Amino acid sequence: MDEINLFFEIAIDCQNLFFIFTISPMKQKKRTTIYDIAKKLNITASSVSRALNNSGHVNETTKKLILKTAAELNYKRNTLASNLRKGQTKTIGVVVPRINQNFFSNVIAGIEDTTYQKGYNLIICQSNESYTKEIKCINTLINQHVDCIVISVSVESYDYKHLQNVIEQGIQLIQFDRVVDELETLKVINDNEQASFEAVCHLIEQGYKKIALLEGPQNLNIFTQRKTGYLNALKKYNLPVRNEFIIENAWTKELGAEATRKLLSLPEPPDAIFASTSDFSALGVLEVASALSIKVPSELGICGYSNEAFTEITSPSITTIDQFSMYMGKTIANLYFQEKENNDTIVIPKIISIKPKLIVRSSTLKSLKS
Amino acid sequence: MDEINLFFEIAIDCQNLFFIFTISPMKQKKRTTIYDIAKKLNITASSVSRALNNSGHVNETTKKLILKTAAELNYKRNTLASNLRKGQTKTIGVVVPRINQNFFSNVIAGIEDTTYQKGYNLIICQSNESYTKEIKCINTLINQHVDCIVISVSVESYDYKHLQNVIEQGIQLIQFDRVVDELETLKVINDNEQASFEAVCHLIEQGYKKIALLEGPQNLNIFTQRKTGYLNALKKYNLPVRNEFIIENAWTKELGAEATRKLLSLPEPPDAIFASTSDFSALGVLEVASALSIKVPSELGICGYSNEAFTEITSPSITTIDQFSMYMGKTIANLYFQEKENNDTIVIPKIISIKPKLIVRSSTLKSLKS
DNA sequence: TTGTATGCGTTATCAC
DNA sequence: GTGATAACGCATACAA
């Protein structure tokens, strides 16, 4: 009965790695199927299937017997076959630029949390901000016959035939955060424009008058929206728009730092910088300011975007915008199930816009210092 | 041909949420199969299959014709059926305590990166540190017939029948980071003991003499290993082990802070704290020290674990240990493929231990200050 | 209540 | 080179 598991170890220490080699026998098993159970009990597979699924009628005693022997034989349902038969996979595909970015991993965690409760699985893909990889991800998900695809498009994506394709294949498509406006799909987004507007108003109300904007790639609508919010706020307070204060493509820490150096060396430098792209670029701003001994917030106000954990612990702490990422994930999942259940009724929510929240911290509290 | 897509929007603004309701028609599509292609070309499905898979012989011209019409009909292979037939899913299941913890999301990103290149998919589950959920995750992955399960066990898990089950079902099991030693599986781990040892030696060499340890749940071997490393270092330098300096279960920021308050109120408080559990608890230490105006590193040395991004930007920056999490993920994936290819040969690597790296930063550089 | 028959879409093994 | 056929494991409509 018991397999003898001989093994023998060789240790090799080589720089950073430490291997232990082991000789071990390979094993291959045949899984038990409903037929195996049926054969053992001298009944047919259909009865076993019914018993295991609680569907149709089946004698209570035989049912108990079936469940018992199923446990004994360590039966595990082959979801593949089941799904093929039923034409649904109870699987949701998720495509994000990067799994290990806080915002996205939080959204995924949120999705997983609610979908799990409904017995759904998640297939995760990362586009790595690449258009071609995004297409491949979408295609594998279609091939996998997922019931729904959730996506936040990559920065590179300029064409959306692959997303159109998803819809054509009858797969529910839900976009979030970075959405393609033209595409008629379910969407869960942040009200970027409003959040951005409020952030800049806050800066102005704190007494900052020359506010610079670090903007992200404008082909992503979230960044154009944030820019609009910025412009609207300036307009509201009758402040001039200075083109030299608007820096394109400053959406990493390094680019944020670079932009800051450029801004601060202007004849008339800004007195506040709104890093509308991310907290990382805000961090770049802060580091440059520190290096140049420019006092934050008294000489320079800084506002980021996303409420990354670290914004709370920098000195000074960074004012930023919380996107409720985890909640966003749950919302996406709920939207899917809601849509699924209501697909015979008529009224369904199509776009859910979550209003982000401005988190005011030290880096913009100029008024307290004066 | 074109469907008419009537829709009508109602907007409701309610506190944080902004809904737009839309009336839209539901759509259901029948996907094209190889039979559809075959029928259209007056050939059989088997030829189509051969053409699409480049397997067996098929006339070059008909092959081209097949590929062309497949594209025209927007054919997508049904991976479910294919997998069922072939008995392999090219899918890897990953179970981690939390997706949105930096270490884990990095490992996953690493896994995804390499598996993707081989055409594999990832099904992600989070155990939320719960034993029962972990079991459920494992079961769904088994049901899904994944080819491999990668897991870092939850803190709650006290029994490992479910993992044993994975092996019995003939599924490759790879443990990483938090591994169950008793289980004979592939493992990718960090050399926690060594890293911890080096960290504490570094503290001692910097002149700290009374070093406290914040330890994690000792049922997880990673934490016992880190404790052992700590003890070994003390031993090496003939420093006494003081029980009041060893605080159990201080593995969050809050618990780290609490432990620190306790430690610093001792009649003879420590002059350094090694937060062996995580950088978060180290952050708790730092915050309490700041609040109490205790100078870091001159009066108190602090060392964390994991090299979270924020450790670089606290003031002072925090000395910590890098676990090469992304690399770890790639290693896991490579290990799987290696094992898969070599399953007929005999010698295979069984445990890969990655040596973490001590990252020395300001929070422990006492010697520079004196 | 149970058994029979069929199909989900694909691939592999035969013949031809 | 191509076609017929069976099988992967399960679920269900229908008959008994």
Side-chain angles (χ1 to χ4, degrees):
Chain A
M1 275 299 151
D2 267 355
E3 284 178 30
I4 299 167
N5 206 343
L6 289 175
F7 61 93
F8 162 58
E9 300 190 342
I10 314 168
I12 300 180
D13 197 352
C14 96
Q15 48 172 357
N16 252 7
L17 298 177
F18 183 73
F19 292 93
I20 299 181
F21 292 88
T22 304
I23 298 172
S24 80
M26 58 169 291
K27 47 193 86 176
Q28 199 69 279
K29 283 272 163 71
K30 185 89 179 148
R31 304 224 192 155
T32 65
T33 72
I34 52 173
Y35 281 95
D36 298 326
I37 300 174
K39 204 181 292 170
K40 186 159 185 181
L41 297 179
N42 262 331
I43 52 177
T44 72
S46 41
S47 292
V48 177
S49 174
R50 277 190 288 261
L52 294 173
N53 290 307
N54 266 326
S55 68
H57 303 285
V58 51
N59 186 306
E60 267 305 315
T61 46
T62 54
K63 180 174 174 180
K64 270 185 189 150
L65 202 57
I66 288 169
L67 293 178
K68 183 161 157 274
T69 50
E72 278 171 13
L73 296 178
N74 201 3
Y75 168 79
K76 303 278 172 186
R77 162 193 277 111
N78 185 333
T79 319
L80 245 59
S82 173
N83 287 341
L84 177 60
R85 178 61 229 263
K86 291 196 290 191
Q88 59 144 23
T89 54
K90 286 201 159 201
T91 299
I92 293 175
V94 182
V95 184
V96 293
R98 292 225 146 74
I99 300 170
N100 54 343
Q101 263 175 33
N102 231 278
F103 172 72
F104 293 118
S105 66
N106 274 325
V107 173
I108 294 173
I111 297 175
E112 204 275 345
D113 210 59
T114 31
T115 52
Y116 167 75
Q117 294 171 27
K118 300 255 187 178
Y120 275 65
N121 282 113
L122 249 45
I123 296 185
I124 310 283
C125 305
Q126 46 185 351
S127 65
N128 284 330
E129 302 284 11
S130 148
Y131 173 56
T132 50
K133 186 164 179 202
E134 183 173 298
I135 292 178
K136 285 186 192 163
C137 290
I138 290 289
N139 281 331
T140 45
L141 290 176
I142 293 176
N143 291 345
Q144 290 283 345
H145 273 226
V146 295
D147 294 338
C148 168
I149 291 181
V150 175
I151 188 172
S152 194
V153 296
S154 91
V155 64
E156 261 192 14
S157 305
Y158 51 88
D159 180 57
Y160 305 104
K161 287 199 195 103
H162 55 307
L163 299 184
Q164 200 69 54
N165 207 342
V166 171
I167 301 167
E168 282 165 14
Q169 297 286 337
I171 298 175
Q172 180 64 273
L173 180 64
I174 304 184
Q175 300 188 75
F176 75 97
D177 194 51
R178 304 176 180 182
V179 303
V180 181
D181 286 325
E182 306 89 276
L183 236 50
E184 257 292 312
T185 71
L186 296 178
K187 290 169 193 155
V188 177
I189 54 175
N190 273 145
D191 190 341
N192 287 282
E193 187 178 318
Q194 176 65 15
S196 186
F197 175 77
E198 284 177 19
V200 178
C201 284
H202 161 73
L203 286 169
I204 298 172
E205 285 155 14
Q206 285 290 313
Y208 298 105
K209 295 201 165 59
K210 296 176 290 184
I211 300 166
L213 175 75
L214 305 190
E215 64 175 34
Q218 294 291 302
N219 57 323
L220 288 181
N221 61 353
I222 55 168
F223 294 129
T224 59
Q225 288 158 7
R226 293 179 194 175
K227 184 176 185 177
T228 307
Y230 163 83
L231 295 175
N232 287 349
L234 294 188
K235 195 171 180 187
K236 179 183 174 191
Y237 285 92
N238 285 317
L239 291 178
V241 175
R242 308 193 191 190
N243 286 328
E244 71 273 24
F245 278 2
I246 299 179
I247 311 286
E248 292 175 359
N249 246 43
W251 70 325
T252 65
K253 184 178 143 188
E254 288 69 28
L255 292 171
E258 194 183 313
T260 306
R261 268 181 241 109
K262 193 170 155 193
L263 284 168
L264 294 179
S265 65
L266 285 175
E268 199 178 347
D271 59 4
I273 298 180
F274 175 35
S276 78
T277 54
S278 71
D279 285 327
F280 292 100
S281 74
L283 182 60
V285 177
L286 181 57
E287 288 185 357
V288 169
S290 300
L292 298 177
S293 302
I294 292 174
K295 293 198 192 81
V296 177
S298 57
E299 294 172 12
L300 184 72
I302 302 176
C303 180
Y305 208 110
S306 277
N307 197 19
E308 292 279 340
F310 69 78
T311 51
E312 206 177 349
I313 59 175
T314 49
S315 45
S317 57
I318 301 174
T319 293
T320 184
I321 289 157
D322 192 289
Q323 300 180 274
F324 302 103
S325 44
M326 190 103 166
Y327 175 75
M328 203 163 179
K330 296 186 184 203
T331 305
I332 293 167
N334 287 326
L335 180 59
Y336 170 68
F337 292 120
Q338 201 172 320
E339 172 84 359
K340 191 167 166 293
E341 283 161 19
N342 293 355
N343 65 358
D344 40 4
T345 64
I346 304 184
V347 176
I348 45 162
K350 195 80 176 181
I351 296 175
I352 296 184
S353 173
I354 295 170
K355 191 172 162 191
K357 190 175 171 213
L358 181 67
I359 311 282
V360 177
R361 298 216 184 86
S362 313
S363 70
T364 57
L365 290 179
K366 187 181 192 175
S367 57
L368 287 185
K369 301 277 174 173
S370 56
Chain B
M1 274 298 153
D2 265 357
E3 283 178 33
I4 299 167
N5 207 343
L6 289 175
F7 61 93
F8 164 58
E9 299 188 344
I10 314 168
I12 300 180
D13 197 352
C14 95
Q15 47 169 357
N16 252 7
L17 297 177
F18 185 72
F19 292 92
I20 299 181
F21 293 87
T22 304
I23 298 173
S24 81
M26 57 169 293
K27 46 193 89 176
Q28 201 68 278
K29 283 273 165 70
K30 186 92 182 147
R31 303 224 193 154
T32 64
T33 71
I34 51 174
Y35 278 95
D36 298 326
I37 300 174
K39 203 180 294 171
K40 186 158 186 182
L41 297 180
N42 262 331
I43 54 178
T44 75
S46 30
S47 292
V48 178
S49 175
R50 278 191 288 262
L52 293 173
N53 292 305
N54 265 326
S55 67
H57 303 284
V58 51
N59 187 308
E60 267 306 314
T61 46
T62 54
K63 180 174 173 179
K64 269 184 189 150
L65 201 57
I66 288 169
L67 294 179
K68 183 162 157 274
T69 50
E72 278 171 14
L73 296 179
N74 201 2
Y75 168 79
K76 304 278 173 184
R77 164 190 279 111
N78 185 333
T79 319
L80 245 59
S82 172
N83 287 341
L84 177 61
R85 180 61 233 259
K86 292 197 288 192
Q88 58 143 22
T89 54
K90 287 200 160 203
T91 300
I92 293 175
V94 182
V95 184
V96 292
R98 291 224 147 74
I99 299 169
N100 54 344
Q101 263 175 33
N102 230 279
F103 172 72
F104 292 118
S105 66
N106 274 324
V107 172
I108 295 174
I111 297 176
E112 205 275 347
D113 210 60
T114 30
T115 52
Y116 167 76
Q117 294 171 27
K118 301 256 186 178
Y120 275 65
N121 282 113
L122 248 45
I123 295 185
I124 310 283
C125 306
Q126 46 184 351
S127 65
N128 285 331
E129 302 285 11
S130 147
Y131 174 55
T132 51
K133 184 161 181 204
E134 183 174 298
I135 292 178
K136 285 186 193 161
C137 291
I138 290 288
N139 281 331
T140 43
L141 291 176
I142 292 176
N143 291 346
Q144 290 282 347
H145 273 227
V146 295
D147 293 339
C148 169
I149 292 181
V150 175
I151 188 172
S152 195
V153 296
S154 89
V155 64
E156 260 191 14
S157 305
Y158 51 88
D159 179 58
Y160 304 104
K161 287 199 194 101
H162 56 307
L163 299 183
Q164 199 69 54
N165 207 342
V166 171
I167 302 168
E168 282 164 14
Q169 299 284 339
I171 298 174
Q172 181 64 272
L173 180 64
I174 304 184
Q175 300 188 74
F176 76 97
D177 194 50
R178 304 176 180 183
V179 302
V180 181
D181 286 326
E182 306 89 275
L183 236 49
E184 257 289 315
T185 71
L186 296 179
K187 289 168 193 156
V188 177
I189 54 174
N190 273 145
D191 190 341
N192 287 282
E193 188 178 319
Q194 177 65 17
S196 186
F197 175 78
E198 283 176 20
V200 178
C201 285
H202 160 72
L203 286 169
I204 298 172
E205 285 155 13
Q206 285 290 313
Y208 297 106
K209 295 201 166 59
K210 295 176 292 183
I211 301 165
L213 175 75
L214 306 190
E215 63 175 32
Q218 294 292 301
N219 58 320
L220 289 180
N221 60 355
I222 55 169
F223 293 128
T224 58
Q225 289 159 7
R226 292 178 194 176
K227 185 176 185 178
T228 307
Y230 164 82
L231 295 174
N232 288 348
L234 294 188
K235 196 172 178 185
K236 179 182 174 193
Y237 284 93
N238 284 318
L239 291 178
V241 175
R242 307 194 192 190
N243 287 328
E244 72 272 24
F245 278 3
I246 299 178
I247 310 287
E248 291 174 0
N249 246 43
W251 71 324
T252 65
K253 184 177 143 187
E254 288 68 28
L255 291 172
E258 193 184 313
T260 306
R261 268 181 241 110
K262 193 170 155 193
L263 284 168
L264 294 178
S265 64
L266 285 175
E268 198 180 345
D271 59 3
I273 297 179
F274 175 36
S276 77
T277 54
S278 71
D279 284 327
F280 293 98
S281 74
L283 182 60
V285 177
L286 180 57
E287 289 185 357
V288 169
S290 301
L292 299 177
S293 302
I294 292 174
K295 292 196 192 85
V296 177
S298 57
E299 293 170 14
L300 184 72
I302 302 176
C303 180
Y305 208 109
S306 276
N307 198 18
E308 293 280 341
F310 70 78
T311 51
E312 207 177 348
I313 60 175
T314 50
S315 46
S317 57
I318 301 175
T319 294
T320 185
I321 289 157
D322 193 288
Q323 300 180 274
F324 302 105
S325 44
M326 190 104 165
Y327 175 74
M328 203 162 177
K330 296 187 185 203
T331 306
I332 292 167
N334 287 326
L335 180 59
Y336 170 68
F337 293 120
Q338 200 172 322
E339 172 84 358
K340 190 166 166 293
E341 283 161 19
N342 292 356
N343 65 359
D344 41 3
T345 64
I346 303 186
V347 177
I348 46 163
K350 196 80 176 181
I351 297 175
I352 297 184
S353 174
I354 295 169
K355 191 172 162 192
K357 191 172 169 213
L358 182 67
I359 312 283
V360 177
R361 298 216 184 86
S362 311
S363 70
T364 57
L365 288 179
K366 187 181 193 177
S367 57
L368 288 183
K369 302 276 172 171
S370 56

